[in-house]
Structure formats: C-alpha cells, structure tokens
Amino acid sequence: MRTNPDVQSTGVRSIVPRTAGGIRALLVARILPAPAVRPQAAGKQASAGTGAAGRPRRRTDLRLAPPALLAWAAAVAGVWLPLPALGLVIGGLLLGAAALLAAIRRRSRTRAGPVPRSFLTTLGVALVLAAAVASHSAVAASQKHGGAVAEAVSSRSAVVIELEIAGPPRLLKSPGRAGADRWAVPATASTIIARGNLIRGEAELLIMGGADWQRVVPGQRIRTTGKLRPPEDGQSQAGILSAGTGPATIVAPSGWQEGPAALRGRFAAAAEWIGGDARGLLPGMVTGDTSFLDEQLQTDMKTVGMTHLTAVSGANCSLILGALLLAARTVRLPRAPAAAAALAGLALFVLMVGPDASVLRAALMGAIGLVSLSGGRTGRGLSFLSLAVIGLLMADPALGTSFSFLLSVLATLGIVVAGPRIMEWLPPVVPRWLAAGLAVPLSAQLFCGPVIVLLQPQFSSFALPANMVAAPLVAPVTILGTAAVPLVPLAPWAAVVPMAVAGACAAGVAGVARFFSALPGASLPWPEGPFGAATMLVLSACTILALWLILHPRAVWALVLAAHRRTVDLLELWPRFTGLDERRRRGSLRGNNPISGRNQEWPLRKKPDPSRRRQLRPPGAM
C-alpha cells in the first residue's frame, strides 16, 4: 500500500493550504463565476492598464498639479499677509525660479544629475506662476492696507461715492425678521468724497443695501452715499459700504449687459403662473434667480445636500454643453465644428445667466468634468483642471479664499479622478448613463464632504440617494428651461410647453428634497472645526474602500487567501522565534504548572521515525 505524502507531511501546511485550495476552487468554479466581458473588450481585458470598456487607460498626468497648488498658496498668502511680508514671498519665489534656471542650464551642459530636467522645469514654471499670482495680490493689498482709500475705510468715514457694479446682487436673508433682508453687491469705486477730500482710484468694495439694490445690473455706473467700514479677515475687498441711500444711475449698462438681466426678469415673471415650489425653484435652476425661492424649501435642500441645484452650477453647464454636442453630432457635424458650436452655445448661456466670476467658474469646471467623464481625455482631466485653477487665480487671486471656488474645484476633482474609476467598478450590465448618474454625485459628495462640514457641521444622511433620485429631473429643467428663456419675449405661446414640462420636473426636485429632509435622521450632528473635517475625510476614504470591496468580490477573496497564506507562514515561523523547535528536539517543554504554580519540565512524546521499518520477528523466536 502506497503512502500518501500529503497525509504523512507534518506541520501546519499539512491541512490548512489543502483546505484553502479546495475552498478557492469551489468558489471560483461555482459561486464566483468569471465576470462578463463585453465582446469588443474581450481581447483587451487581459492586459494591465485597460479600462472596463477595453480601452487603454491613460495615465493621470500630475505635472501641472504642483504649479496649481503653489499658485493657490500664493493667492491665499496675498489675501492674508501684509504687504511687506508679501513682498518677501514674491522675492523668494523669483529667487527660487532663478536658481532652478541656473540648475537647468548646468544640467544641459553636463547632461547628468539625480533629478530629472523635466521636474526642474516644471518646478521653475510653478514658481514663476506663483510669483505672478502673488504680484497680482500685492496690487489689491496695496489698496487694502495703504493709501487714501485704506485711511477712509479705517476711520469709518461717511462718503459720497461713484461706483460701477461688478456682479449681480446676492440676497442675504435674515431669518425671523420680515423686511430686514439685505443685498450684497460687488462694485468697483472710481471716485470717493470723504471728509471733504476727493479720492480718485479704483478700489473693490462690497455694498450692503436694502431692497433698492436688488435691481442693479453689472456694468451700471451709480452714485450713492453711506459709511465705509473695514472688511473681515480673509476678504479681498478694500472695504464694505453700508449704503444709506439707494443707487442713483449715472451711466446705464450697455445692451449686452442689460439684455440678459431683462431676459431673466421676464422668465421669472412668466414662471409665476406655474405656482407651487416650481415658482421659485425653476428660475433659480435655469437663470440663477433665487429671489422667489421659498425659505423652507431652501432649508430642506440644504439639509439633503441639494443646494447646488438652487442656482446655476457646473452641472447645469455640463448639461447644456453635452446637449449641444449631442445635437451637433446628430446632424453629422465634424468634431471641430461641433465643439465650436457647443462652446458658442455655452457662451450664450453664460451671457444669459450673467457673466460674473461664479458663473464663468461653473462653466469652466462643468466643461472639464464633461470632457473627463466622457472618456475622451480621462488621463488629462487633472491637467485641464490645474490649468483652469491657475488661469482663474491669475485673473482673480481673491478666489483662493473663496469656499465656493474650493467646493467647485473639489467637485470637479472628484468627477475627474474618482468618477471614471467608480464607473469602471460597476458591472458591465449597468448602463453607462446609470453608472454616470451614480458616479458623479458620489464622487463629488465624497470630495466636498470635509469642506461642507467646516461650513455646516452636520451630516446629510440621504444626500447621495436624494441627488440620485433628483438627477433624472435636473436635465429636463435645465435644457427645456433654457430653451424657453429666449422664447418668452419672442413667442410666448411657444414657451408654454417647455416651461410646463420644466416646471413639473422642478416641482419633482422640490418634492424629492422635502421627502428626504422629512425622514428621521436626515441631518445628524457632526464635530466642528478641523477634527470634523478630518473625520469626514476618513469617512469618505472608508466609503470608497467599502464600495470597492463590494464591487470586487473576486479580488477581495484573492486578498483574503493571500492574508491566509501569510498567516500560515507566520505560524510556521513562530516556533523558530520562540525557541520551541529547540525544546522539542530536547524532548521536553518547560513551563508553569497550572496546579502547583511551579516551573516544571514537561516531557514530550517523540514522533516515530517513518524511515525506520518495523522488524518482524520470525515465528518461534524468543
């Protein structure tokens, strides 16, 4: 009879690896069948670095991320630091760039070195861009910390002032105080009369006024009176003007600035016949006019993380751009003309909403997110985002301290980095539109969560399902509502149907917000400050990890088996570290007797040597 070597082998591996192999074979063959692969991707899934659709996955380009972060840091320093310290920062950045230029020239002669030349070039460009952003901030800091304007602001002087409106008015509601709402209007002062002195020069101010200021239009030149006061820490404006009188128009805005404001007003008035929650939500979702939005509805949408739907955001711009691209490709336009037509349509949409900084930023971020998620330039999405951040900060360094800008960048970063990965994790049977509907809100919410906690220390338990349920309703509101805006003054009868459909969908969005906000536990308390942001960051990381574990059962089982094998190896090596093998060879094991408590040597039974054969005595032997 032959001896089975597996049965005769000794040690921990004699049983455990055999059992694990059997379980692995059973699971692979019966419980975990191989995932279905699309026919067009069947020949490409075996190679590393391919996506779920079989296309080669482009590596994420990180070269422009350090310049963007450095430019952002310079913008923040320009807002917070005084002018002398900011000058030192600019000088240090330029000296660093000069040193890197010298190192690059030296490297070109020697052609050797531990650091790649491309890295030095990228770092040098980053330092130059950061110095440019800081220099732009220094100009605003000179008006804020020195000069006649700063003196008038610090003395809280009563002034007569001429300004040019720089952006649309923003409503600041005062809960529980009827008629006490204030309007915040960004403006640029050109002439200030304070204490009998005439001050000429441009200075950015923030006007705080009553209901008379809600109708001002960007580009309008006005005269008003009021009191100046210093801004809060971290604000980019040179001062805040508490307006004592209403705006008196000096120069009316140009036609291209006044026309969009008239369109927005007519659309808001035309939405009055719809009634209900759609009366205030439809103009907000289409043109950004939230003046008629119900306070309770606004609170409910804030509770379930749907505040971004109450005004024009990057999602609206992505929908407009995507619809225009689809329409252009449907009529068989080539790729370049289709892209040009879509960008022209997006520019008209931005002009209609109002080309202020927030709308321009939303359009840019929405275009980047759409391009990255569509699959054409997935590897370069971070590069596009970095370029956008650098360009916006160079144009307006005050964005570096804006929470809205930070949330916009983080949401786009989540869509660019995590969105395509989450779509690839989903099974192939899930349609692409449904996968995108899950990936976009989840990735944006996970990346924006730590910052939202700083602004609002609470956890929205139903933010993800609420946004997923409302997502199919957002596209008809945005597309049909935008199409109805020019039809209201031109052909009101033709605007009835698209406005009715868009209003019904807007009412559905409001119903989703009210339903989820009324559920128990919709808003849970969360720690404030940096600790709350850190814990939310950990929760976001755990959520992504849990999603990966759920959607990759085969990989999880492979990791479990690998951990199992490591454990077996450690169990086999443990006797060598503890000296148990030596004591086994001596035939005894020393330890404490649990009964007597004394140190005692316990004899071990020796194993029979399988190599020695039993010798049988012949019959009759003594």
Side-chain angles (χ1 to χ4, degrees):
M1 180 177 180
R2 296 185 71 176
T3 304
N4 190 349
D6 292 338
V7 177
Q8 294 294 331
S9 60
T10 60
V12 181
R13 285 189 183 278
S14 60
I15 298 177
V16 180
R18 181 180 177 85
T19 305
I23 296 175
R24 181 169 64 250
L26 177 63
L27 288 177
V28 171
R30 300 289 180 87
I31 302 177
L32 295 174
V37 180
R38 295 185 178 93
Q40 65 270 22
K44 300 181 181 180
Q45 286 289 340
S47 61
T50 57
R55 295 185 298 268
R57 182 184 298 169
R58 188 187 296 271
R59 292 183 178 180
T60 302
D61 193 352
L62 300 174
R63 289 175 294 178
L64 292 178
L69 293 176
L70 198 56
W72 202 329
V76 174
V79 175
W80 285 93
L81 294 180
L83 194 58
L86 188 57
L88 293 177
V89 170
I90 296 174
L93 292 173
L94 293 178
L95 286 177
L100 286 175
L101 178 61
I104 292 172
R105 287 185 175 180
R106 193 182 310 112
R107 180 68 55 81
S108 62
R109 290 195 297 266
T110 59
R111 296 184 180 181
V115 183
R117 182 179 176 182
S118 59
F119 175 78
L120 295 178
T121 305
T122 304
L123 188 56
V125 171
L127 293 176
V128 172
L129 292 175
V133 174
S135 300
H136 192 175
S137 299
V139 177
S142 63
Q143 299 176 347
K144 182 178 179 180
H145 299 288
V149 177
E151 183 179 353
V153 170
S154 61
S155 61
R156 300 178 182 266
S157 302
V159 296
V160 178
I161 189 170
E162 294 184 2
L163 314 101
E164 181 177 351
I165 304 300
R170 180 168 53 92
L171 177 61
L172 303 177
K173 293 185 177 182
S174 300
R177 299 175 60 186
D181 296 338
R182 304 284 286 174
W183 291 83
V185 184
T188 302
S190 57
T191 303
I192 300 175
I193 301 176
R195 296 181 178 180
N197 298 323
L198 178 62
I199 305 173
R200 294 187 180 275
E202 293 187 353
E204 295 183 2
L205 300 176
L206 184 65
I207 305 174
M208 306 293 292
D212 295 337
W213 291 88
Q214 62 178 320
R215 296 182 180 87
V216 294
V217 180
Q220 181 181 0
R221 293 185 62 85
I222 62 170
R223 180 186 293 111
T224 187
T225 61
K227 275 192 175 184
L228 291 173
R229 58 184 175 91
E232 298 179 0
D233 293 338
Q235 287 187 343
S236 59
Q237 289 86 3
I240 297 177
L241 175 67
S242 297
T245 59
T249 303
I250 301 176
V251 179
S254 57
W256 68 272
Q257 292 175 322
E258 192 174 11
L263 278 178
R264 293 194 297 269
R266 291 187 179 182
F267 183 79
E272 188 174 359
W273 66 273
I274 298 177
D277 291 332
R279 167 69 181 95
L281 187 58
L282 180 60
M285 295 182 67
V286 175
T287 64
D289 185 4
T290 59
S291 56
F292 299 98
L293 188 63
D294 182 64
E295 287 189 28
Q296 184 59 43
L297 177 59
Q298 191 171 8
T299 303
D300 293 340
M301 298 189 75
K302 187 177 182 181
T303 302
V304 294
M306 297 172 62
T307 311
H308 60 281
L309 297 179
T310 60
V312 176
S313 63
N316 302 79
C317 298
S318 298
L319 289 171
I320 295 297
L321 185 60
L324 292 174
L325 282 174
L326 182 61
R329 297 296 288 173
T330 302
V331 297
R332 300 186 180 278
L333 279 179
R335 187 179 298 272
L343 290 176
L346 181 61
L348 291 176
F349 173 76
V350 170
L351 183 62
M352 179 198 68
V353 175
D356 61 317
S358 61
V359 177
L360 291 173
R361 182 179 68 247
L364 187 58
M365 297 301 172
I368 292 172
L370 178 65
V371 171
S372 301
L373 200 63
S374 62
R377 296 290 183 182
T378 54
R380 297 181 182 175
L382 186 59
S383 298
F384 295 154
L385 178 60
S386 301
L387 285 175
V389 169
I390 294 172
L392 290 172
L393 289 175
M394 292 186 68
D396 186 7
L399 292 174
T401 57
S402 172
F403 274 102
S404 59
F405 177 69
L406 178 59
L407 289 173
S408 181
V409 172
L410 287 177
T412 309
L413 180 64
I415 295 173
V416 167
V417 175
R421 303 298 187 274
I422 295 176
M423 292 179 63
E424 291 176 1
W425 294 349
L426 296 175
V429 296
V430 179
R432 186 172 179 83
W433 62 269
L434 183 58
L438 173 64
V440 169
L442 178 59
S443 57
Q445 187 74 21
L446 291 177
F447 277 67
C448 294
V451 179
I452 294 177
V453 167
L454 292 176
L455 299 174
Q456 182 182 356
Q458 66 180 27
F459 177 69
S460 300
S461 306
F462 304 106
L464 179 61
N467 281 276
M468 289 183 61
V469 173
L473 302 173
V474 176
V477 174
T478 303
I479 297 174
L480 295 178
T482 304
V485 170
L487 294 177
V488 169
L490 298 177
W493 56 271
V496 173
V497 174
M499 283 195 67
V501 177
C505 294
V509 172
V512 170
R514 292 189 182 276
F515 172 77
F516 281 99
S517 63
L519 294 178
S523 178
L524 300 176
W526 198 265
E528 300 181 6
F531 178 74
T535 53
M536 182 59 71
L537 183 63
V538 173
L539 178 62
S540 300
C542 293
T543 303
I544 293 179
L545 178 61
L547 182 64
W548 187 89
L549 293 176
I550 293 172
L551 298 177
H552 293 78
R554 294 175 63 86
V556 172
W557 179 248
L559 290 176
V560 170
L561 292 179
H564 172 77
R565 288 192 295 269
R566 295 290 185 183
T567 306
V568 171
D569 294 338
L570 290 176
L571 289 176
E572 284 193 339
L573 293 175
W574 180 254
R576 301 180 186 177
F577 290 111
T578 58
L580 187 60
D581 284 348
E582 178 100 10
R583 285 174 281 183
R584 279 179 174 172
R585 282 194 293 270
R586 292 200 309 261
S588 63
L589 179 64
R590 182 174 294 276
N592 290 328
N593 192 329
I595 300 177
S596 62
R598 292 181 299 177
N599 197 358
Q600 184 176 347
E601 192 172 69
W602 303 85
L604 295 176
R605 187 177 63 181
K606 294 183 178 180
K607 294 182 179 180
D609 190 356
S611 63
R612 296 182 61 185
R613 297 185 177 181
R614 177 185 259 177
Q615 297 181 359
L616 300 178
R617 296 180 179 179
M622 296 299 296

